[in-house]
Amino acid sequence: DKKVVLITGCSSGIGLSLAVRLASDPEKTFKVYATMRNLAKKERLLECVKGLHKDTLDILQMDVTDRQSILDARDRVVEKRLDILVCNAGVGLMGPLELQSSDSMRQILEVNILGTIQTIQAFLPEMKAQSQGRILVTGSTEGLHGLPFNEVYCASKFAIEGACESLAVLLQNFNIHVSLIECGPVNTDFLVNMQKAELGNTSLQQVDTKTVSLYEKYLQHCDSVFQNAAQDTEDIVKVFLDAIQSPSPTFRYFTSGGVPPLTQLKITEPDGSQCIRAMSKIIFSVEEQ
Ligand code: NAD
């Protein structure tokens, strides 16, 4: 029997690559339900699989902020069981906190944290009844340490850590493994898709000039990190596969190798000041050009 996998947020990025890889598996190990909020965006996925995978891929509409759409997608899984649930959908929000509207903050929290939890909720009863399963969640190093100008996004990703860790403890009793795939920067549409205060936006005039100049430094840092250190989605997919194929997956996987240095600092220096100083130095001590 094929392993039945459902993935959220498959119209682009990590979700799309993972869906393509699993649906194209040479051994045809997986039946993939690639879900996306907007089915009008399914062409990219279909192009990537070149229409060859009718028996291993199904595309379903699913908006993780809409409980009914989650339940509808669940009901369209013909096998009536799920072996692997991948909660991947997420959005970013970047800029001085003073500028974030309640609506945009609520939107990020609704997709990233409530959306993830709601999705897991919907599949939990079946997975528990089967006494087996995997729940994989796309995590972020921004769920492990803070990043200026990303307060709400970080809050949502820290919240994911807490939700998943809590579930992992309980679900051991049901032979269900929860794993977080902790990503650093990845080359996807994420930066384009996120809500972001752009330099030169008139809205930035509402914030003090010191914050704006620090934001400028942050954006330089961000650009250089994405240029120099961003991973490709294929690298991330390999780590998902490790977790999927491992007989006893661990709770955390770090996509770029070991524990990130700042996360390490949080463990070895638990009062937090060194981590904050180190982060500040990394972000704000950019050489003037
Ligand atoms: P992406 O923008 O290409 O993909 C995100 C996907 O989520 C998109 O397909 C989008 O349509 C979908 N989505 C957004 N709102 C949704 C909703 N309400 N319902 C269903 N789907 C929705 O970016 P990505 O980098 O592939 O992001 C995937 C995950 O990886 C996100 O959770 C993101 O936070 C996380 N992540 C990304 C990076 C990075 O640098 N790209 C780093 C760490 C973590």
Side-chain angles (χ1 to χ4, degrees):
D1 265 12
K2 289 190 175 64
K3 283 192 190 314
V4 182
V5 190
L6 184 139
I7 310 169
T8 67
C10 290
S11 60
S12 60
I14 297 168
L16 181 142
S17 283
L18 182 62
V20 171
R21 168 64 184 83
L22 297 182
S24 325
D25 189 76
E27 316 286 325
K28 292 191 185 263
T29 316
F30 305 100
K31 166 69 182 284
V32 180
Y33 289 90
T35 73
M36 56 184 74
R37 182 182 35 182
N38 181 1
L39 280 183
K41 293 190 178 165
K42 71 178 176 189
E43 290 312 318
R44 200 159 149 190
L45 174 58
L46 285 173
E47 249 167 57
C48 291
V49 295
K50 299 182 188 73
L52 289 175
H53 303 286
K54 288 201 163 45
D55 52 338
T56 56
L57 178 70
D58 224 328
I59 301 177
L60 301 178
Q61 194 277 334
M62 180 165 147
D63 178 343
V64 299
T65 64
D66 175 351
R67 184 180 287 267
Q68 194 55 50
S69 110
I70 301 173
L71 297 177
D72 290 347
R74 184 192 63 184
D75 293 344
R76 294 186 56 188
V77 174
V78 291
E79 292 80 2
K80 298 292 165 213
R81 68 161 213 283
L82 197 59
D83 300 307
I84 304 169
L85 171 63
V86 181
C87 295
N88 164 76
V91 279
L93 177 65
M94 190 189 277
L97 187 62
E98 302 90 308
L99 294 182
Q100 316 297 0
S101 68
S102 319
D103 275 353
S104 44
M105 294 193 290
R106 195 169 292 122
Q107 165 73 9
I108 298 311
L109 296 171
E110 264 175 16
V111 176
N112 294 3
I113 183 64
L114 287 178
T116 302
I117 290 178
Q118 260 188 161
T119 306
I120 295 173
Q121 253 186 336
F123 290 96
L124 211 45
E126 278 94 340
M127 285 186 135
K128 280 180 170 173
Q130 283 160 229
S131 275
Q132 63 104 9
R134 303 274 167 105
I135 299 174
L136 301 173
V137 179
T138 312
S140 171
T141 48
E142 288 172 52
L144 301 170
H145 52 67
L147 187 67
F149 300 111
N150 285 268
E151 292 79 6
V152 183
Y153 178 73
C154 276
S156 75
K157 291 294 175 180
F158 270 66
I160 294 272
E161 298 283 319
C164 289
E165 198 168 298
S166 306
L167 272 169
V169 178
L170 175 73
L171 295 181
Q172 280 201 321
N173 295 294
F174 294 88
N175 192 29
I176 299 170
H177 298 275
V178 181
S179 296
L180 279 157
I181 311 301
E182 312 282 16
C183 306
V186 188
N187 287 315
T188 65
D189 295 348
F190 186 72
L191 284 180
V192 178
N193 288 341
M194 73 162 65
Q195 298 182 52
K196 178 175 165 192
E198 304 280 359
L199 287 179
N201 265 15
T202 48
S203 66
L204 275 178
Q205 291 165 6
Q206 297 163 37
V207 223
D208 65 278
T209 53
K210 187 168 181 180
T211 301
V212 174
S213 88
L214 290 167
Y215 185 48
E216 220 165 310
K217 282 194 169 173
Y218 164 75
L219 288 176
Q220 278 178 32
H221 162 82
C222 195
D223 276 353
S224 85
V225 162
F226 268 87
Q227 269 171 35
N228 302 323
Q231 292 185 284
D232 288 327
T233 55
E234 286 73 22
D235 304 326
I236 309 303
V237 166
K238 278 191 195 132
V239 182
F240 269 97
L241 271 178
D242 279 352
I244 288 172
Q245 288 164 348
S246 164
S248 51
T250 56
F251 178 60
R252 281 198 184 87
Y253 288 81
F254 297 99
T255 62
S256 53
V259 182
L262 283 171
T263 310
Q264 195 74 54
L265 258 187
K266 281 183 78 161
I267 301 162
T268 53
E269 308 292 337
D271 79 11
S273 30
Q274 289 215 33
C275 179
I276 290 169
R277 264 202 302 275
M279 182 53 105
S280 175
K281 199 167 168 214
I282 292 168
I283 309 278
F284 296 130
S285 306
V286 180
E287 293 298 317
E288 298 293 342
Q289 297 180 345

mmCIF file of all heavy atoms in Angstrom, residues 5 14-15 34 40 61 67 71 75 88 91 96 103 109 115 129 172 178 206 212 217 223-224 259:
data_model
loop_
_atom_site.group_PDB
_atom_site.id
_atom_site.type_symbol
_atom_site.label_atom_id
_atom_site.label_comp_id
_atom_site.label_asym_id
_atom_site.label_seq_id
_atom_site.Cartn_x
_atom_site.Cartn_y
_atom_site.Cartn_z
ATOM 1 N N VAL A 5 -0.028 10.815 1.947
ATOM 2 C CA VAL A 5 0.565 12.049 2.462
ATOM 3 C C VAL A 5 -0.314 13.231 2.095
ATOM 4 O O VAL A 5 -0.763 13.313 0.946
ATOM 5 C CB VAL A 5 1.959 12.317 1.818
ATOM 6 C CG1 VAL A 5 2.676 13.454 2.522
ATOM 7 C CG2 VAL A 5 2.808 11.070 1.785
ATOM 8 N N ILE A 14 8.541 25.269 -0.742
ATOM 9 C CA ILE A 14 8.881 23.994 -0.122
ATOM 10 C C ILE A 14 7.749 22.976 -0.333
ATOM 11 O O ILE A 14 8.002 21.819 -0.687
ATOM 12 C CB ILE A 14 9.157 24.201 1.389
ATOM 13 C CG1 ILE A 14 10.375 25.126 1.585
ATOM 14 C CG2 ILE A 14 9.364 22.866 2.097
ATOM 15 C CD1 ILE A 14 10.564 25.641 3.008
ATOM 16 N N GLY A 15 6.515 23.406 -0.151
ATOM 17 C CA GLY A 15 5.364 22.510 -0.297
ATOM 18 C C GLY A 15 5.290 21.943 -1.702
ATOM 19 O O GLY A 15 5.080 20.736 -1.894
ATOM 20 N N ALA A 34 -1.740 17.059 -2.561
ATOM 21 C CA ALA A 34 -1.112 18.376 -2.516
ATOM 22 C C ALA A 34 -2.234 19.390 -2.383
ATOM 23 O O ALA A 34 -3.085 19.483 -3.264
ATOM 24 C CB ALA A 34 -0.310 18.610 -3.784
ATOM 25 N N ALA A 40 -6.461 27.927 -8.548
ATOM 26 C CA ALA A 40 -6.043 28.585 -9.782
ATOM 27 C C ALA A 40 -4.520 28.579 -9.911
ATOM 28 O O ALA A 40 -3.977 28.793 -10.998
ATOM 29 C CB ALA A 40 -6.573 30.021 -9.818
ATOM 30 N N GLN A 61 -8.247 21.688 -2.856
ATOM 31 C CA GLN A 61 -8.306 23.037 -2.286
ATOM 32 C C GLN A 61 -8.285 22.935 -0.769
ATOM 33 O O GLN A 61 -8.972 22.096 -0.181
ATOM 34 C CB GLN A 61 -9.605 23.721 -2.746
ATOM 35 C CG GLN A 61 -9.655 25.231 -2.526
ATOM 36 C CD GLN A 61 -10.066 25.647 -1.113
ATOM 37 O OE1 GLN A 61 -10.748 24.917 -0.415
ATOM 38 N NE2 GLN A 61 -9.638 26.829 -0.676
ATOM 39 N N ARG A 67 -11.807 26.275 8.559
ATOM 40 C CA ARG A 67 -12.013 24.933 9.104
ATOM 41 C C ARG A 67 -12.803 24.049 8.143
ATOM 42 O O ARG A 67 -12.480 22.891 7.945
ATOM 43 C CB ARG A 67 -12.741 25.033 10.459
ATOM 44 C CG ARG A 67 -12.918 23.702 11.152
ATOM 45 C CD ARG A 67 -13.634 23.882 12.478
ATOM 46 N NE ARG A 67 -12.772 24.485 13.486
ATOM 47 C CZ ARG A 67 -12.038 23.760 14.350
ATOM 48 N NH1 ARG A 67 -12.069 22.459 14.301
ATOM 49 N NH2 ARG A 67 -11.289 24.356 15.231
ATOM 50 N N LEU A 71 -11.862 20.371 6.507
ATOM 51 C CA LEU A 71 -12.698 19.169 6.641
ATOM 52 C C LEU A 71 -13.098 18.628 5.271
ATOM 53 O O LEU A 71 -13.113 17.411 5.047
ATOM 54 C CB LEU A 71 -13.937 19.469 7.490
ATOM 55 C CG LEU A 71 -13.643 19.880 8.945
ATOM 56 C CD1 LEU A 71 -14.929 20.224 9.692
ATOM 57 C CD2 LEU A 71 -12.861 18.796 9.695
ATOM 58 N N ASP A 75 -12.217 14.949 3.776
ATOM 59 C CA ASP A 75 -13.226 14.005 3.293
ATOM 60 C C ASP A 75 -12.954 13.533 1.879
ATOM 61 O O ASP A 75 -13.549 12.551 1.421
ATOM 62 C CB ASP A 75 -14.625 14.640 3.379
ATOM 63 C CG ASP A 75 -15.032 14.851 4.830
ATOM 64 O OD1 ASP A 75 -14.373 14.240 5.721
ATOM 65 O OD2 ASP A 75 -15.974 15.617 5.091
ATOM 66 N N ASN A 88 2.763 22.879 6.247
ATOM 67 C CA ASN A 88 3.826 23.683 5.650
ATOM 68 C C ASN A 88 3.386 25.110 5.336
ATOM 69 O O ASN A 88 4.218 26.012 5.299
ATOM 70 C CB ASN A 88 4.304 22.965 4.377
ATOM 71 C CG ASN A 88 5.120 23.856 3.477
ATOM 72 O OD1 ASN A 88 6.287 24.118 3.771
ATOM 73 N ND2 ASN A 88 4.515 24.368 2.414
ATOM 74 N N VAL A 91 3.061 32.280 6.119
ATOM 75 C CA VAL A 91 3.307 33.588 5.516
ATOM 76 C C VAL A 91 4.181 34.434 6.440
ATOM 77 O O VAL A 91 4.204 34.226 7.651
ATOM 78 C CB VAL A 91 1.999 34.351 5.209
ATOM 79 C CG1 VAL A 91 1.375 33.884 3.910
ATOM 80 C CG2 VAL A 91 0.999 34.230 6.344
ATOM 81 N N PRO A 96 8.891 47.549 10.778
ATOM 82 C CA PRO A 96 8.782 48.070 12.149
ATOM 83 C C PRO A 96 7.417 47.721 12.746
ATOM 84 O O PRO A 96 6.387 47.890 12.089
ATOM 85 C CB PRO A 96 8.929 49.587 11.956
ATOM 86 C CG PRO A 96 9.664 49.742 10.664
ATOM 87 C CD PRO A 96 9.222 48.610 9.803
ATOM 88 N N ASP A 103 -5.019 43.832 11.382
ATOM 89 C CA ASP A 103 -5.429 42.841 10.381
ATOM 90 C C ASP A 103 -4.250 42.022 9.885
ATOM 91 O O ASP A 103 -4.346 40.799 9.783
ATOM 92 C CB ASP A 103 -6.086 43.531 9.171
ATOM 93 C CG ASP A 103 -7.555 43.780 9.422
ATOM 94 O OD1 ASP A 103 -8.062 43.287 10.461
ATOM 95 O OD2 ASP A 103 -8.177 44.482 8.607
ATOM 96 N N LEU A 109 -0.870 35.276 12.289
ATOM 97 C CA LEU A 109 -1.092 34.317 13.372
ATOM 98 C C LEU A 109 -2.135 33.285 12.951
ATOM 99 O O LEU A 109 -2.026 32.107 13.287
ATOM 100 C CB LEU A 109 -1.519 35.045 14.647
ATOM 101 C CG LEU A 109 -0.449 35.988 15.219
ATOM 102 C CD1 LEU A 109 -1.013 36.844 16.347
ATOM 103 C CD2 LEU A 109 0.768 35.210 15.714
ATOM 104 N N GLY A 115 -3.729 28.037 11.821
ATOM 105 C CA GLY A 115 -3.880 27.200 10.629
ATOM 106 C C GLY A 115 -3.202 25.848 10.829
ATOM 107 O O GLY A 115 -3.771 24.803 10.500
ATOM 108 N N ALA A 129 -6.660 6.728 15.851
ATOM 109 C CA ALA A 129 -7.357 5.452 15.696
ATOM 110 C C ALA A 129 -6.476 4.440 14.963
ATOM 111 O O ALA A 129 -6.529 3.241 15.240
ATOM 112 C CB ALA A 129 -8.675 5.660 14.953
ATOM 113 N N GLN A 172 3.324 10.246 21.364
ATOM 114 C CA GLN A 172 4.169 9.054 21.546
ATOM 115 C C GLN A 172 3.322 7.859 21.948
ATOM 116 O O GLN A 172 3.587 6.734 21.552
ATOM 117 C CB GLN A 172 5.175 9.312 22.671
ATOM 118 C CG GLN A 172 6.363 10.119 22.233
ATOM 119 C CD GLN A 172 7.523 9.914 23.181
ATOM 120 O OE1 GLN A 172 7.329 9.824 24.386
ATOM 121 N NE2 GLN A 172 8.717 9.833 22.633
ATOM 122 N N VAL A 178 5.922 13.336 15.785
ATOM 123 C CA VAL A 178 5.857 14.738 15.356
ATOM 124 C C VAL A 178 7.288 15.212 15.114
ATOM 125 O O VAL A 178 8.162 14.989 15.950
ATOM 126 C CB VAL A 178 5.212 15.612 16.451
ATOM 127 C CG1 VAL A 178 5.129 17.073 16.001
ATOM 128 C CG2 VAL A 178 3.828 15.089 16.825
ATOM 129 N N GLN A 206 6.198 57.357 9.037
ATOM 130 C CA GLN A 206 5.517 57.440 10.341
ATOM 131 C C GLN A 206 6.383 56.948 11.491
ATOM 132 O O GLN A 206 6.018 57.082 12.644
ATOM 133 C CB GLN A 206 4.236 56.596 10.316
ATOM 134 C CG GLN A 206 3.207 57.073 9.309
ATOM 135 C CD GLN A 206 2.172 55.979 9.047
ATOM 136 O OE1 GLN A 206 1.785 55.248 9.950
ATOM 137 N NE2 GLN A 206 1.746 55.866 7.799
ATOM 138 N N VAL A 212 14.147 53.566 11.204
ATOM 139 C CA VAL A 212 14.241 53.373 9.753
ATOM 140 C C VAL A 212 15.672 53.018 9.353
ATOM 141 O O VAL A 212 15.889 52.109 8.536
ATOM 142 C CB VAL A 212 13.760 54.627 8.975
ATOM 143 C CG1 VAL A 212 13.990 54.464 7.474
ATOM 144 C CG2 VAL A 212 12.283 54.885 9.252
ATOM 145 N N LYS A 217 19.535 48.600 7.730
ATOM 146 C CA LYS A 217 20.622 47.638 7.999
ATOM 147 C C LYS A 217 20.091 46.213 8.016
ATOM 148 O O LYS A 217 20.713 45.297 7.486
ATOM 149 C CB LYS A 217 21.274 47.938 9.352
ATOM 150 C CG LYS A 217 22.219 49.098 9.299
ATOM 151 C CD LYS A 217 23.092 49.143 10.535
ATOM 152 C CE LYS A 217 24.197 50.151 10.307
ATOM 153 N NZ LYS A 217 25.004 50.387 11.496
ATOM 154 N N ASP A 223 19.176 40.629 2.684
ATOM 155 C CA ASP A 223 19.585 40.415 1.290
ATOM 156 C C ASP A 223 20.826 39.550 1.224
ATOM 157 O O ASP A 223 20.890 38.601 0.441
ATOM 158 C CB ASP A 223 19.930 41.758 0.613
ATOM 159 C CG ASP A 223 18.691 42.430 0.091
ATOM 160 O OD1 ASP A 223 17.617 41.799 0.139
ATOM 161 O OD2 ASP A 223 18.798 43.602 -0.355
ATOM 162 N N SER A 224 21.823 39.887 2.047
ATOM 163 C CA SER A 224 23.083 39.158 1.920
ATOM 164 C C SER A 224 22.917 37.721 2.414
ATOM 165 O O SER A 224 23.501 36.801 1.847
ATOM 166 C CB SER A 224 24.240 39.902 2.597
ATOM 167 O OG SER A 224 24.289 39.585 3.950
ATOM 168 N N VAL A 259 22.913 22.283 14.994
ATOM 169 C CA VAL A 259 22.144 23.298 15.719
ATOM 170 C C VAL A 259 22.719 24.678 15.372
ATOM 171 O O VAL A 259 23.926 24.890 15.480
ATOM 172 C CB VAL A 259 22.260 23.067 17.237
ATOM 173 C CG1 VAL A 259 21.438 24.083 18.006
ATOM 174 C CG2 VAL A 259 21.847 21.649 17.596
#
